[in-house]
Amino acid sequence: MVQPEPLEPDEDSGLDALLEQLIGSENVEPDPEQAQIRETLYNFGFIDEDSKREVRRKTLKAVAIPGHLVPFASRDLPVAKGWGTGGLQLTFSIIKPDDLLKVIDQGDDDSVNAVNLRRLIQRTTGVPITTDTTLASIVQTRHRVPEEPMREDQILVLQVPMADPLRWVQPYIERSTEMHAEMDYAPIWVYMYESVVQSGDMDISSQYPVMVEGRYLMDTTPCPRYDVPRLHMSETLYLYGAGREKRIYAIPPYSRVEPLEFEDFPFRTEHKPEQFCEKCGSTNTYLTRHYIEEKQGGEGRWAFFCSDTSYCQKHILMKTGEKAEKVSGE
Amino acid sequence: MGYVATKGGTEAVLKAEQLVEYFRLRGETEPIKIEQIKSQFRLAVDRAMSEGSLYAPELAALALKQSEGDAVEASFLLRAYRSTLPRLSYSLPANGTRMRLIRRISSTFKDIPGGQLLGPTRDYQPRLLNTLLTSESSETMRRFLANFEKQVESNETDGQSSTFPKVIDSMREQDLLAEAASIGDDDIDEPFDVTRKATSFPAPRSARLQIMARGDAGSLLALAYSSIRGYGDVHPTLGEMRVGYLPIEVAHPLTGESVEIGEIMITECEMVSRVKATGNEEIELSPKFGLGYGFSFGHGEDKAVSMSILDRAISAAKSGKVHGQSGPAADEEFVLQHIDAIEASGFTAHYKLPHYVTFQADISVLERAKDHATAKNAAQAEKQLRLQQKLAKDAQDNTLLD
């Protein structure tokens, strides 16, 4: 795209100035003063207050009925549907100016999508950003529950691609809604049974289905199985937003969350005790595979690193004796 | 003016043609230059080439101008023009690893051999109307280009190659990938050419890929989306998507040696998903990922990604089983018969043609059915009446007996 020089802001044209703020300054480092200007140009948190109120009402309903899918009128955002618009709408509707925000994608603060979403939230709210899970009041995430345990005063907002855990056995929403209402979860049990028989394991890598408070079957979003046990009796409020699928659901603090399992075939995570992170040495974190280029033109190789990058950095600093606080903030 | 009367019909058609021209030109703005369409409507040109199944940026731009920007109409024009060209030869198989890349991403691994390359993408741009574009001038354009070139010069990384190994090759090395043949796909030497032979079903994979590569981006997108939403789902992950310039070679007609005849810009996508256990022994012994392939002339990401999902879904369906409830996306015949925009729009539009004769036949059938129904109703009514009369008479008789 040809990037025209920003024009002088025209006082009569609020829209032009608005657009210029968003588009005309792509490469400018955000500074606090600009954040102030943005607040006056935008509604705080981009979407209008009535819409945010609707999201909050639906969120309250979701909290009141743990694991239940609550329909909401999802708004269009300047981000593609399926890239985190559900999480964004939740964050926009609950965020306050004194919040401290962390946005991650695959556990990584620096992933392109995390950067993109953070940029939008920051530009329209001006809230400060952190990469430290323990400092953040709201963490918006795609695919991972942060490694460090979260507290009662924090909220974890998860971006959800598929909201209905029955999708695999019943793609028609009309029928799956009835199945949820009648607690007719037999087809998913059959599916699980067949996958064990055919592949010798639950053939579900992510989006592992869980029962919440013994009532509703819930999709855990594409979190790896590794993160599933952290949903059980968690201190933190988990909010799930599916923008494209127009559903909100929640796990309130201290809720029973049980992964589907058989007596003779218990739930297992993908954790392997012998694997460790080649950066920080952790053996108790979720690891992803990376390719390391060899500098001198030699063959590169594959290695495992923590997917939660801020935890990994913190761990390295702790090992080298420095204080962990230094990682926090940006 | 009727459009079927022998004489008036001709006149009407000619006048309609003039009207089209009038509607295209009545704004009296500067005529758009082909060169402008080619460079500034890059993606529209690429789409017309892809669905027109002819790599010719100039002609695609011309087609877009003629069709007032209608994507299907433009590809229709190209498809028709294509029939005037003899097929002189087939290129040698082109290898995607030889692409000169401008963009390359993977969502399977974070760091991949050669690294990720975002390239020109709108993925991370806020989708807000840019009103500054309304006042864009040659001056602002030149200024941007000058600045940009300065940046490029200062960032010049000398000697760095722009070709990269493929992510799926490293997956293959790690023994994660099932070869196409082992997941029950057809194994043929020569690719099937759907432009020279009629397709029948089940179709070989090469025919499937060719039909999809010519297919309508929107149709492919809709069907691939239905698969992702659970109708014939294969849970795919994007192994690699690359955009760049691919060198094309042909065998020299006399010497038989390979000769490079130029490069084309293409988008290529490789999607991986778990090959589900099916009772096929070979797979059960060693579970692997299966591969779906997507291709588009020019820069066509949605299309390449959608195609690779559908290829994977169909392969999975053919080899026995797809996840979830099966749906149209996993049905090879359904997909391949309905994704060609030229065929689909042509037949859909044929309903605008006169159907006076067949409709008259419909009316007579309807009238006969109506007569039949009336007669039947009358008979029924009469029967009912007689029954009532009989009942009344019986009732009267009974009272008399009492």
Side-chain angles (χ1 to χ4, degrees):
Chain A
M1 188 185 87
V2 175
Q3 190 76 62
E5 289 288 303
L7 301 172
E8 284 297 303
D10 178 2
E11 291 202 359
D12 295 332
S13 169
L15 181 65
D16 278 2
L18 196 74
L19 289 165
E20 191 193 334
Q21 284 300 331
L22 264 198
I23 304 157
S25 52
E26 289 291 286
N27 301 316
V28 182
E29 284 295 313
D31 70 341
E33 264 180 51
Q34 256 186 329
Q36 285 303 314
I37 299 166
R38 280 175 187 133
E39 264 184 71
T40 59
L41 283 168
Y42 271 103
N43 185 43
F44 179 83
F46 195 79
I47 33 182
D48 68 282
E49 288 305 319
D50 286 346
S51 301
K52 290 203 284 190
R53 241 172 107 184
E54 187 219 337
V55 175
R56 284 196 289 268
R57 270 203 315 269
K58 297 295 161 67
T59 307
L60 287 174
K61 181 171 177 183
V63 171
I65 318 172
H68 173 59
L69 290 166
V70 182
F72 83 112
S74 180
R75 297 294 187 272
D76 284 295
L77 295 175
V79 172
K81 282 183 188 290
W83 290 52
T85 53
L88 268 176
Q89 289 178 79
L90 282 173
T91 301
F92 279 146
S93 68
I94 59 172
I95 201 162
K96 305 185 302 297
D98 58 351
D99 271 314
L100 187 54
L101 180 75
K102 174 179 164 83
V103 183
I104 47 177
D105 185 299
Q106 311 274 309
D108 189 341
D109 294 272
D110 204 31
S111 178
V112 278
N113 197 38
V115 170
N116 187 36
L117 301 180
R118 182 186 306 125
R119 208 165 56 151
L120 180 65
I121 301 169
Q122 213 189 1
R123 282 180 178 192
T124 55
T125 62
V127 299
I129 298 293
T130 181
T131 57
D132 190 332
T133 306
T134 59
L135 294 178
S137 55
I138 300 174
V139 179
Q140 181 172 328
T141 179
R142 174 171 170 261
H143 282 210
R144 278 307 312 279
V145 174
E147 297 289 355
E148 289 165 289
M150 290 176 67
R151 301 177 309 268
E152 270 178 349
D153 60 327
Q154 296 176 300
I155 296 177
L156 185 65
V157 174
L158 291 105
Q159 301 166 202
V160 179
M162 303 290 203
D164 195 336
L166 294 176
R167 182 62 56 77
W168 294 335
V169 291
Q170 182 48 268
Y172 287 93
I173 292 171
E174 186 178 352
R175 287 177 214 157
S176 68
T177 308
E178 270 175 23
M179 286 164 70
H180 279 296
E182 290 164 0
M183 249 183 110
D184 174 13
Y185 295 138
I188 194 85
W189 282 108
V190 172
Y191 179 88
M192 306 284 280
Y193 170 76
E194 282 181 346
S195 77
V196 171
V197 170
Q198 287 176 340
S199 354
D201 190 8
M202 297 291 190
D203 209 357
I204 300 173
S205 51
S206 54
Q207 292 181 267
Y208 199 93
V210 292
M211 282 299 287
V212 183
E213 282 293 317
R215 176 59 184 87
Y216 281 102
L217 188 71
M218 193 195 91
D219 192 309
T220 48
T221 96
C223 288
R225 288 192 215 176
Y226 183 84
D227 289 335
V228 170
R230 293 157 195 235
L231 309 179
H232 181 61
M233 297 309 269
S234 155
E235 285 179 33
T236 311
L237 171 62
Y238 287 71
L239 296 179
Y240 293 80
R244 193 177 42 82
E245 298 278 346
K246 303 176 184 66
R247 295 290 186 278
I248 289 171
Y249 55 97
I251 305 177
Y254 307 106
S255 301
R256 273 186 297 127
V257 178
E258 292 136 339
L260 296 195
E261 60 183 351
F262 296 108
E263 266 172 35
D264 56 347
F265 202 91
F267 170 80
R268 279 181 306 190
T269 69
E270 47 290 83
H271 182 242
K272 287 184 190 154
E274 71 275 11
Q275 271 175 356
F276 60 92
C277 169
E278 288 201 28
K279 275 185 186 159
C280 74
S282 291
T283 53
N284 59 349
T285 53
Y286 189 74
L287 306 170
T288 52
R289 216 183 278 230
H290 297 249
Y291 189 78
I292 309 176
E293 298 278 2
E294 219 47 60
K295 289 269 152 54
Q296 253 58 40
E299 283 283 292
R301 66 185 182 86
W302 290 90
F304 283 100
F305 297 145
C306 290
S307 87
D308 186 334
T309 49
S310 75
Y311 173 78
C312 188
Q313 265 175 289
K314 214 184 232 189
H315 200 197
I316 294 170
L317 287 183
M318 263 166 19
K319 281 176 101 179
T320 53
E322 289 186 55
K323 283 198 175 151
E325 274 77 21
K326 288 204 173 167
V327 209
S328 60
E330 262 189 339
Chain B
M1 209 176 293
Y3 67 139
V4 76
T6 15
K7 280 179 186 163
T10 312
E11 202 187 323
V13 164
L14 294 176
K15 287 281 195 291
E17 219 164 81
Q18 275 185 4
L19 269 177
V20 168
E21 201 64 351
Y22 170 69
F23 270 79
R24 190 172 70 83
L25 298 174
R26 63 178 176 173
E28 282 189 65
T29 51
E30 280 294 298
I32 301 176
K33 295 198 178 66
I34 299 300
E35 199 50 42
Q36 280 183 296
I37 298 176
K38 211 175 98 182
S39 76
Q40 293 190 46
F41 278 7
R42 180 175 65 94
L43 298 179
V45 166
D46 287 354
R47 183 164 173 191
M49 292 198 300
S50 177
E51 286 159 34
S53 187
L54 181 69
Y55 194 91
E58 296 270 341
L59 294 178
L62 174 66
L64 277 165
K65 176 170 175 165
Q66 187 178 332
S67 65
E68 297 175 77
D70 184 326
V72 175
E73 179 71 18
S75 54
F76 181 13
L77 291 167
L78 286 183
R79 218 33 111 77
Y81 175 72
R82 197 179 182 278
S83 296
T84 67
L85 307 171
R87 189 184 269 300
L88 295 177
S89 86
Y90 289 90
S91 80
L92 296 170
N95 187 343
T97 50
R98 292 191 54 206
M99 272 168 86
R100 217 154 43 79
L101 295 178
I102 61 166
R103 170 160 162 78
R104 180 222 198 193
I105 51 164
S106 169
S107 30
T108 45
F109 305 109
K110 186 175 171 190
D111 294 317
I112 47 176
Q116 312 250 8
L117 188 68
L118 279 190
T121 176
R122 287 185 173 80
D123 285 350
Y124 310 101
Q125 224 175 51
R127 260 47 167 250
L128 296 162
L129 282 172
N130 185 355
T131 54
L132 295 176
L133 285 182
T134 56
S135 57
E136 190 178 32
S137 65
S138 355
E139 173 57 26
T140 53
M141 182 182 77
R142 269 193 292 274
R143 215 177 325 154
F144 171 80
L145 288 175
N147 284 341
F148 186 79
E149 273 155 26
K150 219 182 291 165
Q151 266 187 62
V152 172
E153 273 166 34
S154 63
N155 284 343
E156 206 84 74
T157 43
D158 39 0
Q160 202 185 5
S161 152
S162 60
T163 59
F164 294 103
K166 284 208 167 184
V167 172
I168 55 151
D169 285 336
S170 62
M171 287 182 69
R172 208 168 261 141
E173 276 163 29
Q174 295 175 64
D175 201 27
L176 294 171
L177 212 65
E179 295 305 322
S182 71
I183 53 170
D185 250 315
D186 324 75
D187 196 19
I188 51 164
D189 300 330
E190 274 298 310
F192 191 94
D193 184 351
V194 298
T195 67
R196 291 295 181 269
K197 273 183 278 184
T199 344
S200 57
F201 296 96
R205 184 159 179 251
S206 59
R208 183 207 304 169
L209 293 176
Q210 196 189 358
I211 292 171
M212 289 201 284
R214 290 153 55 94
D216 172 48
S219 310
L220 287 163
L221 179 65
L223 286 167
Y225 182 47
S226 76
S227 164
I228 309 165
R229 289 195 71 255
Y231 299 84
D233 188 15
V234 287
H235 301 336
T237 307
L238 198 152
E240 181 171 0
M241 191 194 68
R242 27 173 77 199
V243 183
Y245 300 89
L246 180 70
I248 299 295
E249 294 174 337
V250 292
H252 191 281
L254 298 178
T255 64
E257 276 172 38
S258 66
V259 185
E260 194 174 311
I261 54 166
E263 317 184 292
I264 59 174
M265 169 165 265
I266 64 151
T267 307
E268 197 184 35
C269 180
E270 279 146 340
M271 198 61 84
V272 293
S273 81
R274 263 297 299 282
V275 174
K276 235 203 156 193
T278 57
N280 178 333
E281 273 176 39
E282 201 183 334
I283 297 168
E284 259 179 41
L285 287 177
S286 169
K288 297 240 164 80
F289 287 102
L291 186 68
Y293 184 79
F295 175 94
S296 170
F297 275 157
H299 196 161
E301 300 189 8
D302 271 357
K303 178 172 178 176
V305 171
S306 303
M307 175 174 161
S308 61
I309 291 169
L310 289 172
D311 178 38
R312 186 67 211 110
I314 293 168
S315 288
K318 279 188 159 187
S319 73
K321 207 168 175 185
V322 282
H323 290 258
Q325 188 161 312
S326 205
D331 182 333
E332 177 180 69
E333 187 170 333
F334 188 93
V335 171
L336 299 189
Q337 295 280 46
H338 298 121
I339 53 169
D340 193 287
I342 318 293
E343 287 166 12
S345 74
F347 200 58
T348 308
H350 110 278
Y351 286 106
K352 294 184 285 184
L353 285 177
H355 280 69
Y356 311 140
V357 169
T358 44
F359 192 67
Q360 188 55 50
D362 279 349
I363 289 178
S364 29
V365 169
L366 186 89
E367 276 169 355
R368 257 177 297 170
K370 236 177 170 174
D371 290 347
H372 177 71
T374 315
K376 216 167 97 182
N377 286 344
Q380 199 115 40
E382 205 185 312
K383 212 169 130 191
Q384 199 79 33
L385 188 69
R386 255 185 269 132
L387 189 70
Q388 273 168 7
Q389 281 170 347
K390 188 175 176 285
L391 284 174
K393 191 166 175 288
D394 287 355
Q396 208 173 20
D397 290 350
N398 285 345
T399 40
L400 284 178
L401 281 176
D402 289 341

